Amino acid sequence: MERELLILTRNRETSTPRGVRDGGALDRSAYVLLTRLEAQGPMSIPDFVEAFGFNASTFTRQTSALLREGLVERTLDPDGGVARKFRITDEGSARLAAQREEFVTGLTGVIADWPAERLRRFVADLEQFNTDIERVSGRSWPRPMAEG
């Protein structure tokens, strides 16, 4: 299992799009942070620390880079708190959507010959694996509510 996860991570890193449309490819940390902002909404540095468990200086560097590129903006806390929060910009949303489209296209090519039931099982197992990791780590990833 460890080897297959290593290979999966390696394959993910080597399949990063090299020039997604106008702005160029997002690096891995930008993609992850923008995806989290898209899913959760505005976040402060302490929110990032709580969500990911890394040092605040890591997020200060990463958000500074995102600010310089115009992918996020600082905003007042929509809940009335004192801390400034980071919100994804229209440019950030557009670049994220473009890169996500490239990833999905690549994945579609990989699973093109999979029967629907195999794909459904794989996605269900992967989601269970991730939610079990989240349960053990105490750090969950926001997911959309299931449609019912």
Side-chain angles (χ1 to χ4, degrees):
M1 182 174 172
E2 178 273 335
R3 180 182 56 244
E4 294 305 321
L5 287 172
L6 171 78
I7 293 168
L8 177 65
T9 303
R10 182 192 172 279
N11 287 335
R12 163 66 172 84
E13 293 302 320
T14 60
S15 67
T16 300
R18 294 286 187 259
V20 179
R21 304 224 171 105
D22 301 327
L26 300 168
D27 67 30
R28 184 178 180 276
S29 64
Y31 188 87
V32 170
L33 291 183
L34 291 175
T35 300
R36 184 64 183 239
L37 287 170
E38 178 185 65
Q40 185 169 332
M43 296 176 71
S44 64
I45 296 293
D47 293 336
F48 284 123
V49 170
E50 183 179 332
F52 293 98
F54 298 123
N55 189 299
S57 64
T58 299
F59 297 107
T60 300
R61 281 191 310 277
Q62 291 174 343
T63 55
S64 293
L66 294 174
L67 280 166
R68 278 192 306 277
E69 290 188 53
L71 304 176
V72 299
E73 61 189 0
R74 283 192 182 101
T75 184
L76 295 175
D77 184 344
D79 298 323
V82 182
R84 301 284 286 199
K85 295 206 172 193
F86 296 91
R87 175 176 57 200
I88 192 169
T89 62
D90 290 343
E91 173 68 16
S93 291
R95 296 242 330 253
L96 180 61
Q99 188 153 330
R100 182 175 289 131
E101 184 179 320
E102 296 252 346
F103 286 138
V104 169
T105 298
L107 288 171
T108 300
V110 171
I111 60 170
D113 297 332
W114 287 23
E117 179 56 25
R118 180 179 182 195
L119 178 58
R120 188 204 59 73
R121 265 193 339 267
F122 178 75
V123 170
D125 288 345
L126 189 57
E127 183 177 358
Q128 184 64 58
F129 181 75
N130 282 327
T131 56
D132 287 346
I133 289 173
E134 292 166 8
R135 177 183 45 78
V136 169
S137 71
R139 293 188 178 91
S140 63
W141 190 273
R143 291 178 173 82
M145 296 290 290
E147 295 180 28

